[in-house]
Structure formats: C-alpha cells, structure tokens
Amino acid sequence: MNTYYIKRLVSMIITLWLIITGTFFLMHSVPGSPFNEERRTNEAVQKNLEAYYNLDKPLMVQYGNYLKQLVQGDLGPSIKKSSQTVNDMLGRGFPVSFELGFYTLLVAIISGIILGVIAALRHNGFIDYLAMSIAVIGISVPNFVMATLLIQQLAVNFPIFPVATWQSPKHMVLPILALATGPMAIIARLTRSSMLEVLTQDYIKTAKAKGLSPVKIVFKHALRNALLPVVTVLGSLAASILTGTFVIEKIFAIPGMGKYFVDSINNRDYPVIMGTTIFYSAILIFMLLLVDLAYGFLDPRIKLGKKEAK
Amino acid sequence: MEKILQVKDLHVSFSTYGGEVKAVRGVSFDLHEGETLAIVGESGCGKSVTSQTIMKLIPNPPGKITGGEILFKGKDLIKLKEPEMRKVRGANISMIFQDPMTALNPTLTIGDQIMEGIKQHEHLSNDQAKQVALEMLNLVGIPNPEIRLKQYPHQFSGGMRQRIVIAMALVCRPDVLIADEPTTALDVTIQAQILELFRDIQKKTGVSIILITHDLGVVAQVADRIAVMYAGRIVEIGSRREIFYSPQHPYTKGLLKSVPRLDMEKAELIPIPGTPPDLFLPPVGCAFAARCPYAMEVCDKVYPFKSQLTNQHSVDCWLQDERAQKLVSKY
Amino acid sequence: MELRKQETLNISPDIPDEWFTPKEKNIKQAETVVRPSLSYWKDSWHRLLKNKLAMAGLVFLVFLAVFAIFGPIISPHTVEKQTLLDQNLPPSGKYWFGTDDLGRDVFTRTAYGARISLFVGLMAALIDFVIGVTYGGIAGYKGGRVDNLMMRFVEILYGLPYLLVVILVMVVIGPGLTTIILALSITGWVGMARIVRGQVLQIKNYEFVLASKTFGTKTSRIIRKNLLPNTMGPIIVQMTLTIPSAIFAEAFLSFIGLGIQAPHASWGVMANDGLSTILSGYWWRLFFPTLFISLTMFAFNVLGDGLQDALDPKLRR
C-alpha cells in the first residue's frame, strides 16, 4: 500500500463529502415543506409527518443525523412512498441499472475500438469515411431520439424486439443499443485519431524495420499505446452512460435506479433524490479510480504515486 | 570486395496536396561488404527517403517508387512482394532511426523488443532468443543485461537507448545496417561513444553500414566512402580522402567550408547562400546552379553528365567540362 | 580556386560552347518563397471552405437561424394556439408539419423550438467563453500557487457528472429557460478553463513570448498580441462543441420534464409528447423535433470538427 492510494482514498472521501453536503443543502434550500404541495394535509398531520422525518429540527442537526446514517449505509426513508426506504429502492434498482450500464459500456468499448482501429488502418479510405460518418451520427443523435427511433423501427414497424421492460436478453438489445451508440462513437473517433498518431511514431517504423507483420504491429505495438487516451475518457463516458440510463429506463420502462430517480424528481421525493445522487457519485468516483488503475497498468511510465508527464 | 547492395537510378515521388514532390531523382550507388558509406546532405535532400526506400518503408500512398532498381545480393527488392520484403527487413537489412527516445515502444520491455525481431525471423525458443538478446546487449556495451532486459525504455538514458536500438537492429546479424542520423539527437560526448560502437560492431560482425547524416564531423570519423546528395540526386561520390581533400562539386566544397575543421588554418566558416530548390518543380539543369558561385548558362539548361575522376570518385558538374576550365581559371 | 588539373577532361559535344559563360548572379531568386504565404486566419478559412461536410453543417445552421427567426412569423399559426378540431392532423397545406394532440401547429412549434435550442446553445457558449477564458487565462498566466488552487477547484467540479449537477439545480430552482442556462453555466465552463489554461501555460514559455518579454513589452500587449491569437483556435473549437452539448442538455432536461414547460415548445418537450405516438402512427409529431435535434447536433459537430482541422497549425502544409 503506497502513499498514492492513501492520498487517492482521502481525496475520494473529500469529494464525496462535498457532494453529500452540496446535495443536502441544495435539497433543503427548496422553499416549503414537501408535504404541503398537493393534497392539503391538515396542519396537525403535517406537523406529525415533519416530526417523523425529523424535518422540524434545525438544519445542522438534520445534516448531522443524515451524515451519521450515511456512514452506517442508511440513506433514509422515502417521503412519498412511505413504506419504502431509499435503500430498498436502490437495492432493487441497482442490479438492473448495473446490468444495463455494464453491457452498454462493454458494447460501446468493444465496437468503438474496433471501428476506430479499422478506420485508422484504412485512413482516408471508404471504410474510414463510413466508420467516421457512423460515429458523427452516433454523437449527433441524442440517446432518447435513438431510443424512439429503434422502438419505431425494430419493435413496431418490424416487431423483432419487444418494446419495453427488462426480462430477457431480447429485451435488453434495444436499450443497450440506444444507450451505447453515443459512447461508441466517441470511443471510435478517439481511437482512430490516437491510432493515426501512434502509427506515425518512430517505434512503429522500428517495428516495421524489424520485419514484423502488420497484424503484430497493430496489436502488439500500436493498439496499447493508442488506447491510453481512450482509457482517460472512460470515466466521463461512464458518467454520460449513467445519466443516459435515466431517459432510457424511462422510455423502455426498465425498473432500474434511473427510473426511480426520474420519478423521485417528478414528485419531489427529496430523500430519494439525495440518496440516488450520492450513490451515483460514489459509483462515478469509484469508476475514476478504476480508470486511473487501468492507466497505470497500461503505461509503465506512470508509476502511481508520481504522475510524471511523458 | 563484393557489392552487397546496388542502387540503380532510383526515383521516388510523393504526391501531396500541393502536387507531386520528386524527392529522389535518379540515385545510384553501390555498397560493398564490410564498408561504411555515408550519405550526406542538407535536410530535405532526399537522403532519408533513399534509405527508407531501400527498406521499402516509405508510406504508399503518398510515397511511390517511380523507377530504378535496388539489388540486394543480386535480387531486386523493388520487385519483392510485401510478405517477402518482410523477411528481408530486420533479417538481412535493418535500420536505426534518428531519435532513440521515440524509436522504442514505451509500453514494452526492451527485452521483449529486442527478442521479437529474432523470434520473427528465426525459429528459436524463448530461452534461446533471450540468450541472443543478452549477447547483443553485451555487444553494444550495456552492463547488467539480465536486469536491463526486463526494464522499460524510460528507465534508460539517451545514449543507452541508442545502444539498445543498435542491439535490436543487429539481433538477426543483418548484412546491411542503415543508420538514419543515429547520433543527431545525442550529446556530443555520447555521439563519440556511439560512433566508436559502430566501428567496433563493424569489426566484430562485418556488417555493411549506410550512414545517413548531415554532420560532416560524424562522416570524417567513420565513413569509408561518402556520397553527397543535393535536391534528390547524388552530386558527388568518392572515398573519404577524395571528398575531404579534393572535393570537386561546388556544393561539396560549400559544405566543407561551412563546418569547423581543426586541420584548417583559417577557421572562417562560410555558409552557402540561399536555400535548396522546391522539389515540386525541380529545375531542369543542375539544382545547385541557383546557389552556385560558378554557375554558367549551361547549368540551368542541361543536367551535367557524370564525370568519373578516379575509380571511386565521380561528380556531376559542368565545371568538369574542358570549356568550363578556361572560365574557371579566370576567377 | 584550386580545381585539380584533370588528366581526362570531358567535352560534351552536343552542348554549344556559348552556354559556357558565367550566369547572371541571381542568388536572391533561390530565396524567394514559391508558395504565397497566407495569414493564419485566411489559410484556416480556405481549408474550412474545402471541407464539404463542415460547409454543409454551416449552411444548415444558417438555414436553421433563418427558420428560427422567420418561421414563427411566416406561419399563420401561433405556438400555443390550440385548435381542438384539428387534432393530430398529418402535414398538409394548412399545417405544414401537421398538428399535435391539442391541435397545435407542429411547424410553428418546431421553429419556436429552434429559437430555444439556438438561444440555449449560444448563451452556453457565451458563458463558457467569458468564465472559462477568464478563469483559465488567469490560472495559466499567473501560474504557481494561484494556478494550483484554481485548478484544484476545477478538478472537483470536473469530477462531478455534468447532467446530474444540472438536474439537481433544476430540481431546486424549478424548471424554465433561465434556470436551464444558469444550471448549464455552473459547471459548463470547466472544460474551457482547462483548455485555455493549458494553452496559456504552453504558449507562455514559447520563445517568441519570452523574447517579447525581454524587450519589455507590456503584459496586456503580450496577452493581446501573442497569447490570444494563439489560443483562439482551441477556444473557437471548444465553443462550437459546447453548443451541441448545451442543446442536448436542454432537450434532455425538457424530455424528462425538468426543462421548458408546456405550453412553451422545445424540441425535447415535443419529442417527449411525441413518444406516446409511436404506436398510434402520428409520426410527424416525433419526426420533426427529433430530426431537427439530430441535424442541429450533427451540423455543430461537423462544423466543430472542420474548425478543429482548419485551425490546427500542425496541419498547415
């Protein structure tokens, strides 16, 4: 265990704490009580409810309580669905969302890299233009548009795949496709440009001068170096996939976290909004750590601990 | 001495967005067994293109060999298909590039990079390949080869990396080694060590070396013969003595006057005025005419014939014509 | 002149003797540059003109701007007017893009959506420019501890998922056009700040800047004459890429119900409304807003790519 990991861990905790604090005070700065919006609950009931959810205490006390609960892994109760806790919801939603997100990332990475590498190897050829056209379209078409397009074509016009829900692998195809095109396009473009850059490097010329086959040059010498910049964007891509799950889960009626999140936004269920945000942030921070580790693994020049420039 | 490599009337062009650049326009030379031939010239004169063409490493497109022959042991490399050419690269002819900092793959261990060449060309077990790699590291003078084999390029200094690059090039015992500006990126003291290493290797392995450089100091130390290139052509070629002590082409003379020399009393450096011509539209006549202090009307009109001065020394210059001699004596 | 006397002198019989006379000295000619040298901006513009895809993007954006400005004016219908007798009509001479379930004109609403999208995109780019360039410029120019501190803050913001932050802010201050722009500007400038800072740090140490410093040039002049022109390329590229991401964010927020609220029109709102029509066959309600979102994003992206290529000094040959 070197000092880098400790430093990294500390900064992760600080970032997470900032997010928790920020979200908490943001949520509590919303004017009015969450209970007096729609059905006119009478005053006594409202008081009772507020007491039940500790909303009558001073803000700092509430904040302290919330942190205390958090440390124990308790994200508190839902206000709108009284019988449920945030933990229940996340416990149910997370596995589904994770499945969706994981497969999406997998599809995006694999197809993006393949597309990018082929485009780079056929630089300025027909395949290059084709791949890059697909990529620009992939970036330009928002995921919710892609989702509706896919449903219209592959579920309604040609009923190949089911329209919604999350039951079998067949149900997963359309949501994953809709969610993966954007990140795939970004990866493809990045891989291509980075591959093109790497292919002009002297060590590629050296490898050619050794008489290595093109396949060996691409896979052994070029790809690993070309993927370094790709790895650095994986963190932010994971973030965009994550927010993408909100709409995709909503459109395809997938019972994941994103759906709970959007529902909780729509009916102002603050503890759920807060809990989900914190949970999402934690996942993202963890993803960024993984990316860092992967980077250190791929590039021997980076000794974790001292980030030296190339 | 056997001729191991013969380049005959080589033409190479690059099609670029501004038009066709004729980078090499009829280069011919022979390389003998065990000798060092230096190709010197300003940047952009086509010397690197020539060397990469011998390896058939110029990217196509935009580069294209438009004529000539490259005979390696009598076999024309230009006619070889890519898979056959791959068997030549690294095994028979290998190449060293200018900057040792970028010539090594940063993400692979140097052992891996040295061994992959020999594994590609000869069927050796990992242990045998490693043995060869160790020998090579010894040959190029890297201490603790066992440990060094497992390290990455960034753990070596510039001079050490160039030694590794040389070891990599020599691992299959090639007949010809092409070194493209092998010392340019190094400190002066390291340069001397690397040049010493070249001499040492040549003595031990008998490899023929083509040394591409713009540095006449380097040439003076190691070259047996020197070819001077200008604007895509070899304008003068001869033994080291002939080029240094009786240069015939005004360009060669200009080059020699523009570098400091210890054996000259008046150490005044005279630069060559002007810049090389644009190879989009190479001049019909002698490309140097525009910068040449002795230029005559003929120089712009017709390219000079080759004048064979001794069995090794030849020059392309109109001043060799009898009628020009009268003019020259007026100066 | 010490030409060694040769025993065998050559004579080329087919060359006339009179050509062996000294040539007019014209060394200057060798030094004239063959290619006309264009200024950086002119050269970049020429390269952009040659990029067909980028030009197509530019043309579409001009068309879009015209559509956004004049579309609602030339249309005989208004954005919010409901004609309940004309529900879900397909495109026709009366309703060019058809009508929605409340009998509102889709053409007018799409044009109005273009206004919203362009406005959001341009405002985001403007805010990006003002905050990002100032922040990044100061951090890069000051360097040292100021830079360190400022960048630490940027790192934290950068680590936050952009849309998540925007969503939270929207939840708190409530939906609407102003809040969208406000929310977008909270973390939107971070990317720009990083780019500008990197550029400034790099260029600050270039020798031509050091040279003008040693001549005692004023700081403001160095920034104006040296730093700005040299950082302008990446800044413009970043701005063209901010616009589509802001447009996407607006559409996304409106789509999940946090952005523009009915009865106002936005492409995101219209797409969300149209979503339910997939099964009913009222395709025009989904088709037009999504087509416009996609084309707009596409146009900005290809224009951004084209600018990136055109403004990259490394690509200048």
Side-chain angles (χ1 to χ4, degrees):
Chain A
M1 194 78 181
N2 64 29
T3 47
Y4 175 74
Y5 290 100
I6 296 170
K7 258 192 194 162
R8 198 56 224 260
L9 211 66
V10 170
S11 85
M12 274 169 66
I13 291 170
I14 291 176
T15 312
L16 197 57
W17 172 75
L18 282 173
I19 291 170
I20 293 166
T21 311
T23 346
F24 182 88
F25 287 104
L26 259 181
M27 289 297 111
H28 285 80
S29 67
V30 182
S33 158
F35 300 107
N36 58 9
E37 273 175 9
E38 56 262 15
R39 273 171 282 139
R40 276 230 207 101
T41 41
N42 72 47
E43 210 145 296
V45 174
Q46 194 176 316
K47 277 267 155 56
N48 273 339
L49 277 170
E50 284 183 3
Y52 176 74
Y53 290 112
N54 283 329
L55 291 176
D56 52 347
K57 304 249 169 54
L59 200 56
M60 285 317 283
V61 176
Q62 288 185 42
Y63 174 62
N65 285 342
Y66 191 72
L67 278 187
K68 224 181 279 168
Q69 285 179 350
L70 257 188
V71 173
Q72 293 157 3
D74 181 6
L75 292 164
S78 158
I79 302 184
K80 293 291 152 82
K81 293 175 183 164
S82 47
S83 57
Q84 294 185 6
T85 65
V86 180
N87 288 38
D88 288 340
M89 291 179 167
L90 291 182
R92 250 177 301 132
F94 178 67
V96 177
S97 292
F98 179 78
E99 214 173 7
L100 174 62
F102 179 77
Y103 287 134
T104 301
L105 204 56
L106 213 61
V107 169
I109 291 173
I110 292 173
S111 53
I113 287 175
I114 292 175
L115 214 58
V117 168
I118 293 174
L121 293 181
R122 294 274 174 273
H123 184 38
N124 285 339
F126 173 71
I127 296 179
D128 184 19
Y129 290 128
L130 187 72
M132 284 309 108
S133 309
I134 294 174
V136 181
I137 292 169
I139 288 176
S140 305
V141 179
N143 46 25
F144 56 88
V145 173
M146 185 60 87
T148 51
L149 214 69
L150 286 173
I151 293 176
Q152 204 164 35
Q153 291 308 318
L154 298 179
V156 180
N157 282 0
F158 304 95
I160 304 167
F161 297 105
V163 182
T165 70
W166 191 253
Q167 284 148 16
S168 69
K170 222 178 169 182
H171 287 82
M172 300 180 186
V173 175
L174 293 187
I176 288 173
L177 271 184
L179 199 47
T181 30
M184 178 203 75
I186 293 171
I187 292 176
R189 281 159 54 108
L190 201 58
T191 308
R192 173 178 174 271
S193 65
S194 137
M195 192 78 182
L196 283 178
E197 166 126 23
V198 167
L199 285 177
T200 65
Q201 294 290 316
D202 279 356
Y203 55 80
I204 298 297
K205 264 195 249 165
T206 310
K208 277 185 195 158
K210 281 180 196 169
L212 300 187
S213 64
V215 176
K216 213 165 192 178
I217 290 172
V218 169
F219 285 96
K220 190 172 172 190
H221 286 271
L223 195 56
R224 188 161 156 181
N225 289 290
L227 288 186
L228 286 175
V230 179
V231 170
T232 55
V233 301
L234 282 185
S236 55
L237 275 189
S240 82
I241 287 178
L242 198 113
T243 39
T245 57
F246 304 164
V247 274
I248 295 300
E249 287 177 7
K250 192 185 165 212
I251 293 173
F252 287 93
I254 296 167
M257 280 197 304
K259 196 174 170 303
Y260 288 120
F261 186 56
V262 175
D263 287 348
S264 68
I265 289 170
N266 285 331
N267 47 30
R268 301 286 185 271
D269 195 342
Y270 296 115
V272 180
I273 297 177
M274 232 158 39
T276 333
T277 306
I278 290 162
F279 191 70
Y280 276 135
S281 309
I283 293 175
L284 274 177
I285 291 169
F286 182 66
M287 288 290 298
L288 291 177
L289 180 72
L290 284 186
V291 165
D292 255 24
L293 291 179
Y295 203 83
F297 174 73
L298 278 170
D299 190 350
R301 283 168 299 184
I302 307 275
K303 271 271 171 53
L304 288 181
K306 47 171 183 193
K307 273 196 178 170
E308 59 182 315
K310 45 183 169 166
Chain B
M1 275 193 296
E2 277 297 301
K3 285 174 185 169
I4 190 135
L5 188 77
Q6 290 169 278
V7 174
K8 291 181 178 172
D9 198 29
L10 186 68
H11 286 77
V12 184
S13 295
F14 288 87
S15 54
T16 70
Y17 127 112
E20 193 187 21
V21 178
K22 298 177 187 77
V24 174
R25 309 183 292 144
V27 162
S28 305
F29 63 86
D30 300 331
L31 181 70
H32 302 108
E33 250 173 41
E35 76 161 345
T36 301
L37 170 71
I39 302 180
V40 293
E42 287 167 273
S43 48
C45 72
K47 54 191 196 303
S48 286
V49 175
T50 305
S51 66
Q52 290 186 24
T53 307
I54 296 171
M55 293 287 275
K56 287 179 68 182
L57 280 180
I58 51 162
N60 175 19
K64 196 164 181 261
I65 302 171
T66 49
E69 289 179 327
I70 300 169
L71 301 177
F72 173 75
K73 292 184 172 169
K75 178 172 60 177
D76 189 359
L77 298 183
I78 291 176
K79 294 206 181 83
L80 286 190
K81 294 243 158 40
E82 180 60 21
E84 292 163 328
M85 190 60 215
R86 236 178 273 143
K87 286 182 193 143
V88 175
R89 282 186 207 128
N92 298 322
I93 308 177
S94 45
M95 190 155 180
I96 295 169
F97 295 97
Q98 180 172 1
D99 189 355
M101 301 313 232
T102 56
L104 292 165
N105 189 330
T107 56
L108 297 173
T109 63
I110 63 131
D112 196 355
Q113 296 187 60
I114 294 175
M115 287 188 288
E116 71 177 351
I118 195 151
K119 279 191 203 155
Q120 178 76 28
H121 296 291
E122 291 161 39
H123 294 284
L124 291 183
S125 70
N126 280 341
D127 277 350
Q128 286 169 313
K130 193 180 161 191
Q131 225 38 58
V132 177
L134 288 175
E135 271 170 44
M136 281 298 141
L137 288 183
N138 266 325
L139 180 73
V140 298
I142 289 193
N144 303 325
E146 277 282 353
I147 302 164
R148 294 304 224 167
L149 222 45
K150 294 191 196 84
Q151 293 184 331
Y152 289 93
H154 70 275
Q155 290 161 300
F156 292 83
S157 67
M160 280 295 179
R161 285 194 213 183
Q162 194 60 301
R163 285 170 192 268
I164 291 162
V165 171
I166 294 170
M168 234 160 64
L170 290 174
V171 74
C172 293
R173 302 272 171 183
D175 304 295
V176 177
L177 177 65
I178 302 172
D180 189 353
E181 305 265 5
T183 57
T184 310
L186 302 174
D187 290 346
V188 183
T189 47
I190 310 290
Q191 277 186 13
Q193 291 173 14
I194 296 293
L195 291 176
E196 183 59 43
L197 179 64
F198 272 114
R199 265 195 299 238
D200 185 46
I201 285 164
Q202 195 164 44
K203 216 179 289 164
K204 284 179 184 158
T205 64
V207 64
S208 310
I209 299 176
I210 297 178
L211 185 69
I212 313 286
T213 183
H214 66 272
D215 185 344
L216 286 169
V218 169
V219 173
Q221 286 181 60
V222 291
D224 298 313
R225 287 193 304 134
I226 297 167
V228 180
M229 269 191 93
Y230 188 77
R233 282 187 163 121
I234 291 182
V235 294
E236 184 167 10
I237 184 166
S239 70
R240 176 171 48 162
R241 278 200 72 80
E242 286 161 340
I243 296 293
F244 273 92
Y245 294 106
S246 66
Q248 292 303 308
H249 200 286
Y251 177 63
T252 315
K253 288 178 196 167
L255 271 187
L256 289 169
K257 277 187 201 145
S258 63
V259 284
R261 282 171 66 175
L262 293 176
D263 55 347
M264 297 281 261
E265 279 298 307
K266 278 185 273 172
E268 192 189 351
L269 296 183
I270 304 157
I272 307 173
T275 50
D278 197 324
L279 290 177
F280 281 106
L281 280 170
V284 192
C286 174
F288 190 61
R291 299 166 77 187
C292 182
Y294 314 114
M296 297 172 292
E297 293 295 326
V298 65
C299 299
D300 278 339
K301 296 192 168 98
V302 187
Y303 188 77
F305 299 97
K306 183 180 290 296
S307 307
Q308 198 69 41
L309 305 175
T310 70
N311 63 342
Q312 288 192 30
H313 194 177
S314 69
V315 61
D316 294 2
C317 182
W318 280 120
L319 290 175
Q320 299 300 320
D321 192 290
E322 206 171 50
R323 290 165 287 188
Q325 295 293 328
K326 293 172 199 147
L327 261 180
V328 166
S329 51
K330 284 190 213 153
Y331 284 96
Chain C
M1 195 48 249
E2 20 101 55
L3 254 185
R4 211 170 47 153
K5 279 274 163 311
Q6 302 292 317
E7 284 144 43
T8 50
L9 286 175
N10 306 306
I11 291 189
S12 311
D14 48 335
I15 306 287
D17 288 357
E18 59 269 25
W19 285 6
F20 284 89
T21 49
K23 199 177 87 166
E24 297 276 312
K25 287 268 165 14
N26 53 353
I27 282 167
K28 262 187 205 149
Q29 187 198 336
E31 283 180 298
T32 51
V33 184
V34 176
R35 207 187 317 202
S37 65
L38 295 170
S39 77
Y40 172 67
W41 296 109
K42 254 192 187 157
D43 194 32
S44 302
W45 175 243
H46 278 286
R47 258 179 300 146
L48 188 65
L49 280 178
K50 276 191 185 162
N51 187 333
K52 290 191 195 96
L53 207 54
M55 287 324 285
L58 193 61
V59 168
F60 175 78
L61 291 175
V62 171
F63 157 78
L64 187 74
V66 172
F67 177 62
I69 296 168
F70 298 108
I73 298 173
I74 60 162
S75 162
H77 312 280
T78 62
V79 182
E80 290 158 30
K81 171 130 182 287
Q82 303 178 3
T83 313
L84 291 174
L85 285 174
D86 292 343
Q87 285 173 12
N88 290 325
L89 291 180
S92 65
K94 191 176 177 198
Y95 299 106
W96 300 329
F97 286 1
T99 59
D100 66 7
D101 54 346
L102 295 172
R104 292 176 297 200
D105 179 39
V106 175
F107 175 84
T108 319
R109 291 178 71 75
T110 309
Y112 196 81
R115 283 186 181 180
I116 302 264
S117 289
L118 286 180
F119 181 70
V120 168
L122 293 178
M123 282 306 283
L126 190 70
I127 290 165
D128 213 27
F129 180 79
V130 173
I131 305 181
V133 171
T134 316
Y135 195 95
I138 291 173
Y141 195 78
K142 293 273 177 193
R145 281 182 66 181
V146 180
D147 176 40
N148 223 330
L149 207 72
M150 288 175 85
M151 282 302 121
R152 197 49 66 76
F153 180 62
V154 162
E155 288 302 320
I156 291 174
L157 283 184
Y158 199 72
L160 301 176
Y162 175 64
L163 269 177
L164 205 58
V165 174
V166 173
I167 289 172
L168 280 187
V169 174
M170 299 297 294
V171 167
V172 174
I173 44 184
L177 189 57
T178 352
T179 39
I180 285 182
I181 289 165
L182 201 72
L184 289 178
S185 46
I186 287 180
T187 58
W189 54 273
V190 170
M192 177 71 91
R194 279 165 61 118
I195 286 174
V196 172
R197 173 203 172 246
Q199 285 285 319
V200 171
L201 267 187
Q202 199 185 6
I203 290 165
K204 201 171 64 169
N205 293 322
Y206 278 173
E207 287 178 13
F208 69 91
V209 176
L210 289 180
S212 54
K213 254 189 191 168
T214 52
F215 291 142
T217 317
K218 269 197 230 133
T219 305
S220 63
R221 193 182 156 79
I222 292 180
I223 292 178
R224 223 159 10 95
K225 289 276 162 187
N226 291 332
L227 291 184
L228 267 185
N230 284 289
T231 45
M232 230 32 223
I235 289 174
I236 290 174
V237 171
Q238 175 70 15
M239 277 172 71
T240 32
L241 295 176
T242 300
I243 296 174
S245 87
I247 291 177
F248 169 75
E250 183 275 318
F252 180 92
L253 290 172
S254 301
F255 187 84
I256 63 172
L258 271 176
I260 309 291
Q261 302 288 302
H264 294 291
S266 141
W267 292 339
V269 173
M270 293 171 74
N272 193 17
D273 286 347
L275 188 58
S276 53
T277 66
I278 290 179
L279 293 169
S280 61
Y282 305 137
W283 55 269
W284 56 91
R285 290 184 48 200
L286 191 61
F287 177 74
F288 289 108
T290 52
L291 178 76
F292 272 87
I293 302 175
S294 305
L295 279 182
T296 307
M297 301 262 298
F298 183 81
F300 274 113
N301 277 320
V302 291
L303 183 64
D305 283 357
L307 280 173
Q308 190 152 32
D309 289 346
L311 292 170
D312 188 349
K314 272 187 291 181
L315 290 175
R316 198 182 172 199
R317 297 197 290 179

